[in-house]
Every structure is written in structure tokens, then in C-alpha cells.
Amino acid sequence: MIRTVFHYGVILPGLAMILSSCILAYNYQAEILFPAQIDVSPDVENVGVFCRMDLGPNPSGYFSGNEWEKSFKSDSALLKQAILGLEDGLIESPRYSVIETITKRNLPGFLPQPSKNLNWKFLRNIYPDSTGLLIELATASFSDTVIDLNTNDNIVENYYCILSTFFWRLYNFNAKEISLYRIQDTTIIEFRNRGNNFRLQDTRHLLRLMNSASYNAGISFASGIAPTWKEINRIYYKSSIPIFHPAEKLVVEGDWKGAAEEWLPFTKSNNKIIASRASFNMAVAAEMTDHFALAIEWLEKSKELGQKRYVDEYTADLLDRISQKAKLDLQFGELEQ
């Protein structure tokens, strides 16, 4: 480290103008964990998923026109996609362990009445004792509509919309609480059709869209009750000068601590452009290692050295990350409410 500082101390004065003009902003994508929108008691670890509705040939919704009726008599595939989406979303999250439930189909000998809760004794008899939370697909429905925009004598711009509504019920065994939630979404197909008559010829394409809507409904609810990995974009500064390359290589490898060690000497440069951008990079490195307060300190130093672009926006992002981290700690049981 001493050798590195001396090395930069000798080179920076002679190259100050060149270096500062060659340090440019680049985008970096990272995955971070966002807290769930719905708080579930942190003592819940094992989660099971099942479907309340019959997975047989029962209508799951109504589509306008007799030509649709036959195509949408079977709801089996649609409900299965919703369950798969929910399980995939929960498995991706580090919050829960998804257990294999005894049945994902309609409960044996039970007449589905989605508006009514199942009793605890009944559920405990058919699901493992380790289950802390059961998630039930209570009911689902679909509808369709067509919106015509920019109509003239020759062309009608048709926007075909699939409206999907899913109701999910949570049975929290530990807290003995039952909650019901609704997820509603719209899938839109845009195309142009001559004349005023609308008809979607490819029914298979429509079914694929509905399956996708069902799967996404499961994914969406998973992100509602479980912390979820999402991509964020961050700006950091790179240079074409070789002495900056070791830090940039470490960033590519995900070694932000090592990159910070490389950038640190540049924060002491007599050239304020170099020092301010190196300080900005130190803030990014601090965030990527979950040191948010330190990241804000480095941003303040960067601003004091003259950095104007991105600083205020990034400070707001970091304050939001601090709030998110507090929620995550509560949801993982690392902090008391």
C-alpha cells in the first residue's frame, strides 16, 4: 500500500490534465435484495403452496363471444402456471424454504368455497407439522376487452387487453392469522386491423399470453411477501489510463473491497477532478459492501471536491437503501419491531 501511494503521488502531478480528461462515467448493474411489501412474522421459515380451486375442467372466467367459450373451459393449465410462478418466486428469495405440500390440487372430498377460510385443524391434518405458512390460490378470473384508438376511415388501432385477477390467502400457523390479497394485472396486445371488426384468429397465442399472465401473477405475489432480488444501475468512473485498470478489473470480478483499496490513493490527489471522482467510486464500493453510511460520507467528500453530477440523486438512492435495509432486518428477524 505504501508503494502504491508513492507511485500515484509521483505520477499524478505530471498527468493531472490527461488523467482528468480520460476519467468517464460508466454504468454498472448489480442485483440487490429488496424487502417484501407485506410483512410476515420472521419466525416463519417453511412455506407451502396449494390451490383451492378444482384443477379439473371448470370454467375459470368468461370471454366475450361464443367462439371463446370452448377454449376457456379448462382452467388446469392456467392455475398450475400461477402456482409454479409463486413457488419459483419464493424459491428465488432467501427468506423462506418452500416445502412440498401433500396436495397442490383441490382438497380431497372438499367442496371448494373460495370465500370461506379453511379451519386450522383441517389444514394441520393434511400438511406437514413444520409448515409455518400456507399460501392458497383461492380463486382466479379472466376477462377481455378491446380498446380502439386513433380510428379513421381506413385503419382501427386495436389494443386487446386480458384482465387477470388472482386472490391469494395466507394461513400463518405461528401467528394464527389469515389474510386475503388480490393481484390484478393487464396484458395488452397492440396491433392494427382494417375495418371495425375485431377477431383474434390465433387462439393458441392467446392461451400462451394467459399462461404467461398466470405465471406472472404468482411471481408478483411472491415479490409481495418475500424479499426479492432486483437489478439496479449505478454510475462509477473508469479511465483509459493503465494505472486505473487494476481497480476496474476488480470491479468486473465483483471485488469491491479490492477496488476501493486501489481507488483510495486517488482520493488524495491534488487534482480535484480526479479526487472527487475517486471519492465517488469509493461511495459505490461502500454501498456494494453494505456500508451505506460510509457511502454517504464519501459522496459528501466528492461533492466538497467539486463533483456535481449524480451526487444528489445517488444520495437519495442511498437513503432509500438504508430504509430498505431496516425493513429487511425486520423481515429476517435481525431487528426487533
Side-chain angles (χ1 to χ4, degrees):
M1 181 61 72
I2 295 177
R3 182 178 67 84
T4 304
V5 173
F6 175 77
H7 180 64
Y8 289 142
V10 172
I11 292 179
L12 285 176
L15 297 178
M17 295 302 296
I18 298 175
L19 290 176
S20 59
S21 64
C22 296
I23 303 176
L24 302 176
Y26 284 79
N27 185 63
Y28 179 83
Q29 284 188 329
E31 279 194 332
I32 66 170
L33 194 63
F34 279 75
Q37 302 171 30
I38 302 167
D39 289 328
V40 176
S41 50
D43 58 343
V44 171
E45 296 180 1
N46 296 326
V47 178
V49 179
F50 73 101
C51 181
R52 177 72 163 269
M53 298 174 67
D54 188 1
L55 293 186
N58 291 327
S60 62
Y62 173 75
F63 280 73
S64 57
N66 294 332
E67 66 270 23
W68 302 110
E69 186 175 354
K70 185 176 180 181
S71 298
F72 300 101
K73 279 291 186 181
S74 176
D75 62 10
S76 178
L78 298 179
L79 300 184
K80 182 179 180 181
Q81 288 300 314
I83 294 295
L84 288 175
L86 178 58
E87 287 189 324
D88 286 351
L90 293 174
I91 290 170
E92 184 69 18
S93 173
R95 172 67 176 86
Y96 303 111
S97 295
V98 180
I99 62 174
E100 186 65 27
T101 53
I102 295 175
T103 177
K104 290 187 178 66
R105 299 177 65 85
N106 180 37
L107 305 177
F110 183 80
L111 181 63
Q113 292 179 303
S115 62
K116 295 185 178 180
N117 299 332
L118 297 172
N119 67 69
W120 297 106
K121 184 178 180 181
F122 180 84
L123 290 172
R124 184 56 80 188
N125 286 338
I126 62 173
Y127 289 101
D129 291 339
S130 60
T131 306
L133 180 73
L134 274 177
I135 305 173
E136 168 197 28
L137 174 54
T139 185
S141 63
F142 294 87
S143 61
D144 67 339
T145 188
V146 178
I147 303 175
D148 294 339
L149 299 176
N150 300 326
T151 304
N152 57 44
D153 293 336
N154 299 318
I155 296 177
V156 177
E157 290 189 359
N158 292 312
Y159 293 77
Y160 181 73
C161 305
I162 299 174
L163 311 175
S164 59
T165 304
F166 286 76
F167 286 87
W168 303 90
R169 186 176 282 113
L170 270 59
Y171 296 89
N172 187 326
F173 283 95
N174 296 347
K176 287 295 186 291
E177 293 178 350
I178 301 175
S179 307
L180 183 67
Y181 298 94
R182 182 180 71 171
I183 297 292
Q184 194 166 37
D185 199 6
T186 303
T187 303
I188 299 178
I189 314 167
E190 177 183 355
F191 65 96
R192 291 188 175 188
N193 180 37
R194 291 193 176 273
N196 295 318
N197 295 322
F198 171 81
R199 181 183 179 88
L200 188 64
Q201 300 292 342
D202 189 355
T203 305
R204 290 174 299 177
H205 179 55
L206 179 56
L207 287 171
R208 287 193 296 269
L209 289 171
M210 291 181 63
N211 280 325
S212 177
S214 296
Y215 183 84
N216 290 336
I219 290 287
S220 178
F221 190 64
S223 67
I225 63 171
T228 307
W229 293 102
K230 297 180 182 179
E231 280 193 352
I232 61 168
N233 294 302
R234 290 292 183 260
I235 295 297
Y236 79 107
Y237 287 93
K238 296 170 60 176
S239 174
S240 59
I241 304 301
I243 56 176
F244 285 83
H245 291 177
E248 293 158 12
K249 181 180 179 182
L250 291 168
V251 169
V252 173
E253 296 172 353
D255 185 359
W256 285 95
K257 183 178 179 181
E261 293 175 356
E262 296 287 339
W263 284 321
L264 183 60
F266 290 99
T267 64
K268 304 173 185 178
S269 170
N270 292 327
N271 184 293
K272 288 190 175 182
I273 294 178
I274 294 173
S276 64
R277 295 182 180 181
S279 298
F280 191 96
N281 283 3
M282 292 293 289
V284 180
E287 181 196 7
M288 294 303 159
T289 53
D290 289 341
H291 295 92
F292 305 125
L294 180 61
I296 291 177
E297 290 179 14
W298 276 113
L299 274 183
E300 290 174 351
K301 180 177 181 180
S302 178
K303 191 171 185 178
E304 289 172 1
L305 290 168
Q307 178 72 15
K308 296 180 180 179
R309 295 188 66 186
Y310 310 119
V311 172
D312 292 338
E313 298 89 338
Y314 191 18
T315 300
D317 289 338
L318 288 172
L319 292 173
D320 190 43
R321 294 272 341 251
I322 291 173
S323 175
Q324 292 169 5
K325 182 63 166 57
K327 292 180 181 178
L328 282 170
D329 289 343
L330 284 173
Q331 291 173 2
F332 279 93
E334 297 175 8
L335 289 178
E336 294 184 1
Q337 295 186 356

